[in-house]
Structures are given as structure tokens and as C-alpha cells.
Amino acid sequence: MAADPAPHGKAATLARRRRLLSSSCRLFFPEDPIKIVRGQGQYMYDEQGAEYIDCINNVAHVGHCHPLVVQAAHEQNQVLNTNSRYLHDNILDFAQKLSETLPEELCVFYFLNSGSEANDLALRLARQYTGHWDVVVLDHAYHGHLSSLIDISPYKFRDLDGQKEWVHVAPLPDTYRGLYREDHPNPAEAYASEVKRVVSSAQEQGRQIAAFFAESLPSVGGQIVPPAGYFPEVAEHIRKAGGVFVADEIQVGFGRVGKHFWAFQLQGEDFVPDIVTMGKSIGNGHPVACVATTQAVARAFEATGVEYFNTFGGNPVSCAVGLAVLDVLEKEQLQAHAACVGSFLMELLQQQKAKHPIIGDIRGVGLFIGVDLIKDEATRMPATEEADYLVSRMKENYILLSTDGPGRNVLKFKPPMCFSLDNVQHVVAKLDAILTDMEEKVRSCETLRPQPSGSPALSCPLLGKKK
């Protein structure tokens, strides 16, 4: 009989996970998962000590295990951690610091534990303020794992119970694959008109709109950057219908876009959402989230007479962590860093696009970037299998990437904000080498077929075999 694997080896850990956790709790790289035991900055380390560059962890916003964030949590943990029904300065200091980053209209704060809780509360706030029930969302959107949020997440509900009658789906404002593309004279207006059409259709059925929910930069939808001016026009249509605009900044806020602190600010200086939700990066891995809204919305919620209470939301430790994250962002000038490093990454990726036909589009801002892989330039058919193969090969080269988009063909870059210029050069060099190798495999493949455009499809059985 073979000896049992080491008690803490990867095989033993995987076996225990399969025994104790649901198979619906999926792993990255399921065919060969990585056992990560340590993180530091933009790097993660497995049980053998191998170092991986993390290109996708937007939760560890200022870097894995940032010493100042860890210190803040440790010091406050030694003094007090309790609920927010007692007076304490940390929650007020945190709210004040957040208010300084936002438009002055967004001046009332609720603290929670997760982005899902934040979006669920935003939904409650919108419904109470408007007296309406229905929600308009973007196609392929994902807003969280609570039942209320699965209902407004086409990415999820299409695989489950389907679309509720009170949910109305507008086209994703994707100028590469969507209804209105890069050659349209005014895609912002065109996509906003689609929202108006959806609202009008709902009203004709006797429905009333409570809110429009949108990630400021749709991520699961494929790292989408909505055309500038889209949100203000949408907000006008939604507010005329009696609804409010909810900007989901859970994945893209806190300086990630470089040009601004919040991604919704890319839409224009005068645009102000009615509600902003925050999570993930706000706590650098600590479970903390926030909802910011206006006095008018908050007063309507208070008028119910029902207390809002969250046992751990706004506790002194969470607020100390949140304050530390904001301090690190400021002291290390990570917003400006994201602009610089992101621009460099976009530049090198554009060079790869000119070299490799599989790259159909490079889009993004700051350290939020998508690389859309295609089988054919004319049809823009998603290169799903090739993207999966590429991610696997990058992992073998100790680079952690993942895919998003309806076709699971968009490489997503959302690394910790300390991601460096050297990291960019190394990652793109590996990407180039693997794409070149893939193209050579295709050229040698007997099953190669020409596509209508005259360009060969990057599809070959050899890609299924690791080098």
C-alpha cells in the first residue's frame, strides 16, 4: 500500500478539501491547483516556496499582508473590538476620510462586512427612497452572492431560476463586441438610449423603476470601459423614471483607475451617483465594506423606524484597517503609481496586439485592463479554449492570470496596486513567448483551416497538450 501523503502536503490538502467542502466552491486551475501559503506585496508563494506574480488579486489592494495594514489590525485588536452601538472614534475617522474622496453630496455612510452586503443594502435604500421595486441592470453583470443580488445578476440568474419580472436588462456598453461599436459616432448616447428603451418598456407593463445598478467598470462582463458620458445620460433617464443610480465600486474603486480615486469619475466631473457601494479593496483582505449615499436617501431609510444594525460592520478593528489602507494609498502615492504602471502595461500590450492576431482588443484604464482574445478578426469570435490554455501556461511560468467575459476569453489584469514596471515587462515578455509558441503549434497543426477573413484560426489539438 502506498504511503499516505505528508499531512500538510498539497495532495493531502486537496483530498481534505474535496472531503469537507462543496464541489461548487471551485479552485483556480482545477486540474493542477496551487497551494498558497504566503503573500507579500504583489507576490504569492506556494508550499514549496515558489514565487508567483499576482496579476488578478484586486482584494489585496495595497499589496498582500501590507505591514502597516497588518500592524493597524494587530494594535486595535489588542485594545478593543466590539460593535458600533458604542461611541468610538475609528468609525467616525474612517467615514470622514472616505468623505474627503467623494463628491460632497455623498455624505452618509453605512459600514458592513462584504460587497454583497453593501449591494443588498443599496437595493433596500433605493426601494425605500423611491417607493418603487424594479431594477435595471447591465447584461452579464454580477453584484454579489446573496439571493437578492443573484436576482439582479444576469451572469448568475441565467444559470439558475431565470430573470424575475421586476428585473430589466440593458445591453452592456461594450464598444468592441456590443450593439454599438468603436465606429459609432456617439456610443454613449446610443447605449443610454437602450436603457431608456428598457425603462419605457417596463413602464408600459405598469412597472416602476427603483434603481439602475452598474459596476463603474463592468468586470465579469469582460473588463469593459463604458464610453464617457454614458452614466450621466443613463442617470437622467433613470431619475426621470423615479429611480436612483447605484455605482458599484467594489472591484474598481480606491484609485485603481489612476486618473481618479473612483471609477465613476471617469464619466465626467459633474456626474454623481445617488449611492456608491464599496468592498474588497477597502479592507485589503479584511472583511469590511461600505455604502455611501445622500442625506435624502438616508432620511427616507430612517423614516421606516427600523434600525439598521450590523454586528461586525464598522467595528474598531475593521475601521482601523480601512484607515490604514487609505493612509497607504496616500503615502505610497498608489493612485499615481496605477496610472503610470497601467499606461506602460497598455503600451506593451498594444505592441503585442500588433504582433499576435489572436489579440483582438486591449482596453482598460489604470490597473484595470482586459485583453480580448479572438479566433478571427472579422467575426471577433471568442478564443475561449486558447485563453484557458494561455492562462494555464502563464501559471506554469509563475504568473497568475484569469479570464472573464461572456466568452471567458478576456484576460483580466487587476493586480495589487504595488504591481511594478519590472513586473509589467516580465509578464508581457512571458505572454509574448507563449503566444509565439502557440502560433508555431498552430502552423504545424494538420487540422488548420482558413477562416473567411483569410486569417488562420488559432485552434489546434496541440494546444491541449502542455509543452
Side-chain angles (χ1 to χ4, degrees):
M1 181 181 293
D4 290 336
H8 300 292
K10 186 171 82 169
T13 299
L14 181 59
R16 293 177 67 221
R17 182 182 175 102
R18 287 171 173 166
R19 177 169 57 87
L20 295 168
L21 302 187
S22 167
S23 61
S24 63
C25 303
R26 296 178 182 175
L27 289 163
F28 283 133
F29 317 108
E31 294 182 358
D32 184 23
I34 308 171
K35 182 176 181 179
I36 294 295
V37 299
R38 186 168 68 90
Q40 190 66 48
Q42 64 271 47
Y43 302 102
M44 300 179 80
Y45 301 85
D46 69 15
E47 82 284 6
Q48 301 295 327
E51 179 182 85
Y52 293 81
I53 299 176
D54 186 355
C55 297
I56 53 175
N57 202 318
N58 60 330
V59 177
H61 191 59
V62 298
H64 292 279
C65 302
H66 193 289
L68 295 182
V69 178
V70 172
Q71 180 183 2
H74 176 64
E75 290 180 355
Q76 183 58 52
N77 254 320
Q78 294 181 97
V79 178
L80 175 70
N81 193 18
T82 188
N83 65 60
S84 58
R85 280 183 165 138
Y86 299 98
L87 280 174
H88 199 279
D89 287 321
N90 280 12
I91 192 172
L92 304 176
D93 292 343
F94 192 21
Q96 178 63 44
K97 193 82 172 177
L98 284 171
S99 73
E100 293 167 5
T101 70
L102 288 160
E104 62 181 12
E105 296 94 325
L106 298 168
C107 58
V108 182
F109 299 86
Y110 301 83
F111 291 99
L112 317 93
N113 305 312
S114 70
S116 288
E117 282 193 346
N119 279 337
D120 179 74
L121 177 58
L123 186 58
R124 291 175 59 192
L125 290 168
R127 285 172 168 167
Q128 180 60 35
Y129 175 69
T130 64
H132 301 166
W133 190 259
D134 289 28
V135 178
V136 179
V137 295
L138 295 176
D139 205 0
H140 309 297
Y142 175 63
H143 292 291
H145 64 82
L146 300 181
S147 296
S148 61
L149 305 176
I150 295 295
D151 285 345
I152 65 169
S153 298
Y155 168 70
K156 289 291 186 180
F157 70 58
R158 289 202 171 111
D159 293 329
L160 296 169
D161 299 329
Q163 185 173 338
K164 300 290 193 293
E165 64 179 3
W166 53 268
V167 177
H168 312 280
V169 180
L172 187 67
D174 179 355
T175 57
Y176 182 67
R177 295 185 172 280
L179 291 173
Y180 309 105
R181 300 188 173 185
E182 64 273 12
D183 57 351
H184 193 280
N186 192 341
E189 181 181 28
Y191 277 115
S193 293
E194 290 293 325
V195 175
K196 182 180 180 181
R197 178 188 59 78
V198 167
V199 170
S200 297
S201 176
Q203 291 175 325
E204 289 169 3
Q205 301 170 46
R207 314 296 306 187
Q208 293 182 308
I209 304 301
F212 174 83
F213 265 75
E215 290 180 275
S216 298
L217 296 171
S219 181
V220 170
Q223 302 292 97
I224 303 300
V225 180
Y230 170 68
F231 280 0
E233 293 200 38
V234 168
E236 182 178 351
H237 299 318
I238 293 296
R239 288 165 180 160
K240 281 183 178 178
V244 297
F245 192 107
V246 181
D248 179 340
E249 291 271 337
I250 290 165
Q251 297 215 55
V252 296
F254 293 89
R256 176 163 295 280
V257 299
K259 296 178 180 180
H260 302 282
F261 199 80
W262 301 104
F264 70 78
Q265 293 170 321
L266 293 166
Q267 290 287 316
E269 294 181 2
D270 297 330
F271 172 67
V272 180
D274 300 288
I275 301 172
V276 173
T277 59
M278 313 166 205
K280 294 187 186 295
S281 53
I282 189 174
N284 210 58
H286 186 87
V288 58
C290 181
V291 174
T293 191
T294 64
Q295 285 284 1
V297 172
R299 281 196 295 266
F301 193 61
E302 294 159 7
T304 65
V306 177
E307 175 193 15
Y308 176 76
F309 176 64
N310 185 308
T311 301
F312 296 108
N315 71 74
V317 173
S318 292
C319 291
V321 167
L323 281 164
V325 170
L326 292 175
D327 286 343
V328 170
L329 283 168
E330 183 178 348
K331 290 175 182 176
E332 299 185 7
Q333 299 181 308
L334 291 179
Q335 182 180 330
H337 180 80
C340 173
V341 175
S343 293
F344 185 52
L345 178 54
M346 286 282 285
E347 179 185 340
L348 295 194
L349 289 172
Q350 289 290 354
Q351 293 174 13
Q352 294 301 306
K353 180 178 181 296
K355 183 176 180 181
H356 301 290
I358 192 174
I359 299 178
D361 190 39
I362 306 292
R363 51 182 176 263
V365 58
L367 286 174
F368 176 93
I369 295 172
V371 180
D372 197 314
L373 303 183
I374 58 174
K375 291 182 180 290
D376 173 70
E377 184 178 0
T379 64
R380 300 183 179 182
M381 182 183 294
T384 304
E385 297 83 4
E386 292 85 348
D388 184 62
Y389 175 83
L390 178 58
V391 165
S392 177
R393 287 288 304 276
M394 291 290 278
K395 189 260 285 188
E396 292 174 0
N397 283 268
Y398 304 99
I399 295 167
L400 302 181
L401 268 179
S402 186
T403 59
D404 253 329
R408 303 298 301 178
N409 66 303
V410 181
L411 303 178
K412 59 180 180 181
F413 287 87
K414 290 182 291 188
M417 295 276 278
C418 48
F419 199 71
S420 71
L421 295 173
D422 286 343
N423 293 147
V424 169
Q425 289 182 305
H426 177 74
V427 168
V428 175
K430 291 294 185 183
L431 181 69
D432 180 25
I434 294 170
L435 288 177
T436 299
D437 181 62
M438 289 169 66
E439 290 162 355
E440 290 174 354
K441 280 182 164 62
V442 168
R443 281 192 289 269
S444 67
C445 183
E446 294 179 355
T447 61
L448 184 64
R449 296 285 191 274
Q451 296 297 299
S453 66
S455 300
L458 194 51
S459 180
C460 174
L462 290 175
L463 295 185
K465 301 177 182 178
K466 295 181 180 179
K467 191 173 179 179

